[in-house]
Amino acid sequence: MKKTITVLIVISFLLLCSCQKTAKKTFFALDTVVEIKTYGEIPDGAEEYVKELEKVFSKTDTKSELYLQNEKEESTPSKLLYGLIKRSLDISADTKGAFDITSGALTGLWDEAAEKGALPDAESINACKENCGYEKVRAENGSVYKPKDLKFDLGAVAKGYIAELTVKKLQSLGVSSGFASFGGSIAVIGDKPDGSGYKIGVRSPDGDGVIGYTVIRHGIVSTSGDYERYFEYGGKRYHHIIDTATGMPSQSGVRSCTVISDDGTVSDALSTALFVNPSLLDELYGKYDFEAVLITENKTVITTAKAEFVITAKDYSPADR
Ligand code: AMP
Ligand code: MG
């Protein structure tokens, strides 16, 4: 049985002229390869900063603040953790649970299934569904109240948020151009020194090429895809993004969803939400500040009004909307 992780988005780092010195740092954190590339030096402390954030938000580290907090019914988390839980609960409600940070019981069940290479039975899925639901949680005045067996999973939002925090930190330390990549989320800092923007390619769900690209000058780009993490069983693929309504890997007809926003919480959370339920696109577009590119299994590309996505793959075409 196979568990695969692929890169979802690609970013160009080439300059029109090669006169500016570049720096690169790569390390492992938050279950992914983190890559920081800058024009000019990378200041000391960037990796340590990410590792500090990992201690708060990690889903797998049994000593992380999130992990310990998940054991409790009532807690008063750090400002950082409380802030992300509170916002994520609001987005969970706005996305009608398509993105739901309280889905830890279900996502844990599917993580185990991927480890074992076997499907969970219907009884276990239903039991886990009972322990999910953003409406069962209250976050008020810095405290969080939840049923004991309900577990937060910030896996669909933390990397976007951390990518945003990391580039803000780099900027405060003097970096004016570069990016920080956390697997499915990339945060861009300013223009390149030659004034051009960063070309972001969305990978093809079926192979190595790209479907197309857009150019961005700032903001965070997050992609959720069914080819990101999955295992195969009985000749079928089971990916890692769960529709909490069915308890199964989502089957919305979307193969990947890329969201671009100045807000890393929004880009990451909505990439997951729209992957699960693309029919929310117009409603969410009216409420949040973002652009989106959705690649469907029918080889069409759905884009929001100002996404400026250029399709380069010959077999893909814009969707009729
Ligand atoms: P992403 O790649 O940003 O879409 O996040 C996927 C990760 O978020 C998974 O590995 C799970 O840990 C978690 N997750 C899966 N499905 C959902 C969902 N519907 N809502 C919130 N988190 C989810
Ligand atoms: Mg996400």
Side-chain angles (χ1 to χ4, degrees):
M1 294 301 157
K2 196 165 60 167
K3 192 178 168 191
T4 309
I5 304 178
T6 52
V7 182
L8 297 157
I9 21 190
V10 284
I11 183 162
S12 73
F13 195 60
L14 297 174
L15 277 179
L16 296 177
C17 76
S18 55
C19 36
Q20 175 92 22
K21 218 175 142 203
T22 60
K24 175 179 160 177
K25 191 174 185 66
T26 307
F27 53 94
F28 196 79
L30 297 146
D31 287 330
T32 195
V33 176
V34 178
E35 187 174 69
I36 297 173
K37 281 189 179 176
T38 58
Y39 292 98
E41 298 290 315
I42 297 178
D44 287 342
E47 179 173 350
E48 290 72 14
Y49 181 68
V50 172
K51 294 274 165 77
E52 283 303 311
L53 295 172
E54 184 179 29
K55 281 188 206 156
V56 177
F57 296 114
S58 171
K59 153 176 154 174
T60 46
D61 176 359
T62 53
K63 292 196 194 105
S64 77
E65 191 190 345
L66 174 69
Y67 198 96
L68 298 172
Q69 195 247 358
N70 259 338
E71 302 299 307
K72 300 177 192 158
E73 280 174 83
E74 274 187 46
S75 60
T76 305
S78 65
K79 257 192 175 167
L80 210 55
L81 183 57
Y82 180 80
L84 190 58
I85 289 177
K86 178 89 180 148
R87 272 209 85 199
S88 298
L89 285 170
D90 289 345
I91 301 176
S92 299
D94 285 345
T95 63
K96 302 173 176 70
F99 159 82
D100 189 342
I101 55 151
T102 68
S103 59
L106 263 180
T107 57
L109 184 71
W110 280 97
D111 283 347
E112 259 175 49
E115 285 300 323
K116 290 188 202 146
L119 297 186
D121 57 47
E123 210 178 303
S124 311
I125 292 174
N126 286 332
C128 287
K129 272 171 72 180
E130 291 296 310
N131 292 323
C132 301
Y134 60 88
E135 66 289 344
K136 296 175 187 157
V137 177
R138 261 189 318 130
E140 275 168 12
N141 303 323
S143 295
V144 177
Y145 309 87
K146 67 170 188 61
K148 188 154 189 335
D149 292 330
L150 181 146
K151 309 287 179 197
F152 293 120
D153 178 348
L154 296 178
V157 66
K159 290 194 195 90
Y161 181 51
I162 290 173
E164 180 190 332
L165 292 180
T166 303
V167 297
K168 282 187 174 149
K169 180 76 175 175
L170 290 169
Q171 280 174 308
S172 76
L173 295 171
V175 174
S176 57
S177 184
F179 66 86
S181 164
F182 292 76
S185 285
I186 294 178
V188 163
I189 311 167
D191 287 349
K192 293 181 190 172
D194 62 8
S196 62
Y198 286 90
K199 200 169 168 183
I200 307 271
V202 174
R203 276 224 191 274
S204 163
D206 295 314
D208 280 343
V210 293
I211 301 295
Y213 66 89
T214 186
V215 176
I216 73 164
R217 293 168 184 280
H218 53 85
I220 298 95
V221 186
S222 301
T223 296
S224 297
D226 67 5
Y227 50 101
E228 182 185 4
R229 267 174 207 231
Y230 65 87
F231 68 102
E232 285 170 4
Y233 183 82
K236 247 188 103 181
R237 264 192 194 195
Y238 294 87
H239 63 75
H240 71 306
I241 305 174
I242 308 303
D243 181 345
T244 50
T246 62
M248 299 291 290
S250 118
Q251 286 189 312
S252 64
V254 175
R255 304 243 17 228
S256 86
C257 174
T258 298
V259 174
I260 305 152
S261 175
D262 281 342
D263 183 328
T265 305
V266 167
S267 68
D268 201 356
L270 294 193
S271 72
T272 308
L274 291 167
F275 177 88
V276 173
N277 186 353
S279 72
L280 293 170
L281 182 59
D282 291 339
E283 188 181 328
L284 293 172
Y285 196 59
K287 193 157 193 169
Y288 291 91
D289 202 3
F290 71 95
E291 298 300 328
V293 178
L294 283 73
I295 311 293
T296 75
E297 62 190 16
N298 299 331
K299 295 192 184 291
T300 62
V301 183
I302 301 167
T303 53
T304 48
K306 293 186 217 145
E308 293 179 3
F309 187 73
V310 179
I311 301 172
T312 53
K314 288 200 174 53
D315 46 345
Y316 281 77
S317 54
D320 293 331
R321 290 233 294 148

